[in-house]
Amino acid sequence: MAAENQYEYIVVGAGPAGCQLGYLLEKAGRNYVILEGSDSAGNFFRYHPRHRQLISINKRFNGCPEDSFNMRHDWNSLVTDEYKPLFKDYSPKLFPEAGKMVDYMQDFAKMYNLNIRYNTKVTCVDKEGETFKLKTANSEVFKAKVCIMALGPTGPVIPKDIEGIELAESYEDHDINPEIYNDKRVGIIGKGNSAFETADNFAANAAFIHIFAKEPVKHAWHTHFVGDLRAVNNNVFDMYQLKSLHSVLALSPIKISKNTDGTFKVLLKEEGPHWKTPGAYTMEATYDHVIRATGWRYANLDLFTDKTRPVMCAKDKYPLMKSN
């Protein structure tokens, strides 16, 4: 094995997390490499969110000259001792266009001369004794004592309890041209930002949109968790409360089937555990489009061998983390 493929630290992914860690490792003089499967830092933001608007606040003015104070209200810039580059110099918008994050990340990586190997896609994470051994698509092998997965969202969460879920269009691939949905009936599976972002995109076009939310929608302004539904995406919920045809339904899709005319029949179920006589009822509804927008998982388990596979939680959405 070539000596240059031996490192103290390997970081997989050159997104915000990977580049932030790269900055700290570079500053500390550590022997590290960041392996990135694409040709640029921040590549995820070339494609997501699909409708190209970030939900992280770009608040440029805070009435205070202190950099440390302003960073508390900057949701996009990475943390550096130099306080640069700052994302506010890339967009004046409160909720910026997603492509600006790619520009920012690439400039950040160049400014701090981060040791990133681009077009180096990791295909296997193994371990030999106490040493991690990573294989790549171009047949290279990298070894390190410490391996940090900084990939962020690695793939969609696909519900396993909905028969025919494969018939649904996916958030990551559905047609985002609003004109496609003119006067169409649309059902959206999901109750987070991706579902409401999708609905908001063609709310002016669709005949009606039904968002299926078996459990109550969690609003970020209420939970104080930015991953819950942000106000910038909740126009459809607002319209629903004001009695428009768009609705948020407390129903669970349990089966999707395709009709001969190309439309879709969705079997919906409502549980009534608190009814006087507990039970459930089902109903059928017909849609021109059914879109799955059920969130992301944060580990690609196909990359790991039995020695390195992380324990998962929350229906395999997140790696189970310890307090340290």
Side-chain angles (χ1 to χ4, degrees), residues 235-251:
N235 283 327
V236 166
F237 202 96
D238 183 72
M239 295 171 71
Y240 163 59
Q241 297 288 358
L242 294 173
K243 310 303 181 186
S244 80
L245 294 176
H246 302 328
S247 301
V248 180
L249 305 178
L251 297 169

Side-chain angles (χ1 to χ4, degrees), residues 5-239:
N5 284 354
Q6 296 271 4
Y7 295 91
E8 185 181 2
Y9 296 87
I10 292 176
V11 180
V12 183
C19 287
Q20 178 71 79
L21 187 54
Y23 167 84
L24 297 170
L25 292 169
E26 185 75 31
K27 192 113 180 163
R30 300 292 187 176
N31 177 28
Y32 76 97
V33 66
I34 300 173
L35 304 181
E36 168 58 42
S38 73
D39 61 359
S40 77
N43 184 64
F44 176 86
F45 295 96
R46 284 179 171 172
Y47 310 99
H48 301 288
R50 289 295 311 283
H51 304 99
R52 310 313 294 145
Q53 185 181 50
L54 299 176
I55 59 173
S56 48
I57 294 173
N58 181 40
K59 194 166 187 302
R60 298 182 297 148
F61 305 109
N62 304 293
C64 181
E66 295 179 12
D67 291 326
S68 59
F69 178 83
N70 289 321
M71 280 297 291
R72 293 172 61 187
H73 301 277
D74 181 342
W75 290 20
N76 296 284
S77 300
L78 299 188
V79 179
T80 66
D81 293 336
E82 299 80 7
Y83 294 104
K84 62 181 183 181
L86 294 176
F87 190 85
K88 68 178 184 179
D89 297 325
Y90 290 76
S91 173
K93 294 183 178 180
L94 184 62
F95 296 101
E97 195 273 330
K100 297 297 183 181
M101 182 59 76
V102 182
D103 299 337
Y104 172 81
M105 293 304 307
Q106 292 190 91
D107 288 349
F108 185 95
K110 291 176 183 176
M111 179 176 291
Y112 294 105
N113 194 31
L114 302 185
N115 186 26
I116 303 175
R117 287 282 302 269
Y118 294 108
N119 299 308
T120 305
K121 186 176 180 63
V122 173
T123 57
C124 180
V125 179
D126 200 1
K127 206 170 187 183
E128 292 180 346
E130 295 301 312
T131 301
F132 285 95
K133 178 180 178 182
L134 281 68
K135 298 178 182 178
T136 69
N138 50 10
S139 301
E140 289 187 278
V141 176
F142 293 80
K143 289 186 176 182
K145 290 293 184 182
V146 179
C147 173
I148 302 168
M149 304 300 289
L151 291 174
T154 63
V157 172
I158 301 177
K160 298 177 182 179
D161 56 353
I162 302 176
E163 183 181 346
I165 187 63
E166 69 279 359
L167 296 174
E169 301 167 55
S170 68
Y171 169 80
E172 57 273 17
D173 290 321
H174 78 281
D175 196 321
I176 61 174
N177 176 10
E179 301 297 319
I180 296 293
Y181 305 94
N182 284 352
D183 205 30
K184 300 297 184 182
R185 302 160 294 179
V186 184
I188 299 178
I189 304 170
K191 61 183 182 68
N193 282 295
S194 60
F196 279 87
E197 167 205 329
T198 299
D200 196 41
N201 180 52
F202 47 76
N205 303 79
F208 63 79
I209 301 168
H210 288 166
I211 296 178
F212 306 121
K214 176 184 176 182
E215 299 171 350
V217 174
K218 294 180 179 179
H219 297 266
W221 57 262
H222 183 257
T223 65
H224 299 175
F225 171 56
V226 297
D228 289 333
L229 180 61
R230 300 298 312 287
V232 68
N233 281 334
N234 76 1
N235 283 327
V236 166
F237 202 96
D238 183 72
M239 295 171 71

